[in-house]
């Protein structure tokens, strides 16, 4: 019953993330938020709560389930990962990035996924033996740590830039389009990483 509840919960968290992350959009004007800026801050906090709950629920599942996760679940993970990065780096009056880090640490979230896949490896091997006999494990088990490091480097690069004295308006924006459009090239390497992502 607990596992079913956790699975339903992180699906619910995904819906919340989609609903509340609108506050992260730079194209929203004051007219989109009732009592601006308090309404926007409320949405940001709700997005943080939903994102934290997502990772708490998905990581509470036993590692033996991870080999059976469908693509849709990993897509949800990618969306939650990007949202957490945006919340951790969001530059808005009244929004405390230090508080975000104290609530949930981005690097620890990425590291935890790597640990979960280490735990799930023997279960995955059992599945392969039952289905096709002895076979090589997917690349993900060999390269998940490398891809996780790339994600953390991209995040850290933007974080370091925000902490410099240069006004945020002059900084190059974080390439969230790349992270959103190809999260599985990073986490689940079916192909090679783009050159600009390797050089961060």
């Amino acid at each position: 019953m607990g596992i079913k509840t956790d699975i339903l919960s992180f699906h619910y968290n995904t819906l919340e993330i989609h609903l509340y992350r609108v506050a992260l959009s730079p194209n929203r004007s004051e007219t989109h938020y009732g009592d601006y800026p308090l309404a926007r801050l409320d949405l940001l906090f709700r997005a943080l709560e939903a994102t934290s709950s997502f990772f708490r629920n998905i990581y509470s599942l036993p590692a033996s389930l991870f080999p059976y996760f469908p693509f849709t679940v990993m897509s949800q993970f990618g969306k939650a990962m990007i949202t957490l990065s945006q919340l951790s780096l969001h530059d808005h009056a009244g929004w405390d990035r230090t508080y975000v880090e104290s609530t949930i640490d981005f690097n620890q979230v990425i590291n935890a996924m790597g640990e979960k896949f280490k735990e799930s490896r023997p279960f995955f091997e059992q599945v392969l033996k039952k289905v096709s006999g002895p076979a090589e494990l997917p690349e993900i088990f060999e390269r998940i740590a490398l891809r996780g490091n790339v994600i953390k480097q991209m995040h850290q690069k933007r974080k370091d830039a925000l902490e410099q004295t240069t006004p945020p308006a002059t900084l190059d924006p974080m390439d969230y389009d790349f992270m959103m459009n190809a999260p599985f090239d990073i986490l689940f390497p079916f192909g090679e990483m783009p050159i600009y992502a390797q050089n961060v």
Side-chain angles (χ1 to χ4, degrees), residues 10-26:
F10 77 70
H11 283 300
Y12 178 77
N13 296 146
T14 299
L15 293 176
E16 290 185 308
I17 290 171
H18 278 281
L19 178 64
Y20 298 131
R21 73 188 307 275
V22 65
L24 291 165
S25 174

Side-chain angles (χ1 to χ4, degrees), residues 92-109:
H92 174 70
W95 184 244
D96 188 350
R97 295 192 296 269
T98 302
Y99 173 76
V100 176
E101 289 187 4
S102 68
T103 301
I104 177 170
D105 182 81
F106 182 81
N107 287 344
Q108 289 180 3
V109 164

Side-chain angles (χ1 to χ4, degrees), residues 1 17 21 28 30 32 43 45 54 60 68 76 81 83-84 94 147 175 187:
M1 183 64 180
I17 290 171
R21 73 188 307 275
R28 295 285 170 174
E30 297 183 12
H32 288 89
L43 291 175
F45 277 109
F54 175 91
S60 69
Y68 299 97
Q76 289 172 250
M81 175 194 70
T83 300
L84 177 58
R147 301 311 183 181
D175 191 0
L187 286 173

Side-chain angles (χ1 to χ4, degrees), residues 115-132:
E115 290 302 316
K116 273 293 185 179
F117 270 91
K118 285 182 182 179
E119 293 177 31
S120 71
R121 181 167 183 155
F123 299 105
F124 204 102
E125 290 173 338
Q126 291 177 11
V127 172
L128 286 177
K129 287 180 181 179
K130 289 180 181 179
V131 174
S132 59

Side-chain angles (χ1 to χ4, degrees), residues 8 11 29 49 60 64 78 85 140 148 155 157 182 184:
L8 288 174
H11 283 300
S29 66
E49 182 179 356
S60 69
S64 58
S85 178
I140 182 174
H155 178 82
K157 181 180 180 181
F184 306 106

Side-chain angles (χ1 to χ4, degrees), residues 140-158:
I140 182 174
F141 288 98
E142 300 300 329
R143 304 176 73 178
I144 183 67
L146 174 62
R147 301 311 183 181
N149 286 335
V150 171
I151 294 172
K152 289 188 290 185
Q153 289 171 16
M154 293 173 68
H155 178 82
Q156 188 64 44
K157 181 180 180 181
R158 177 60 176 170

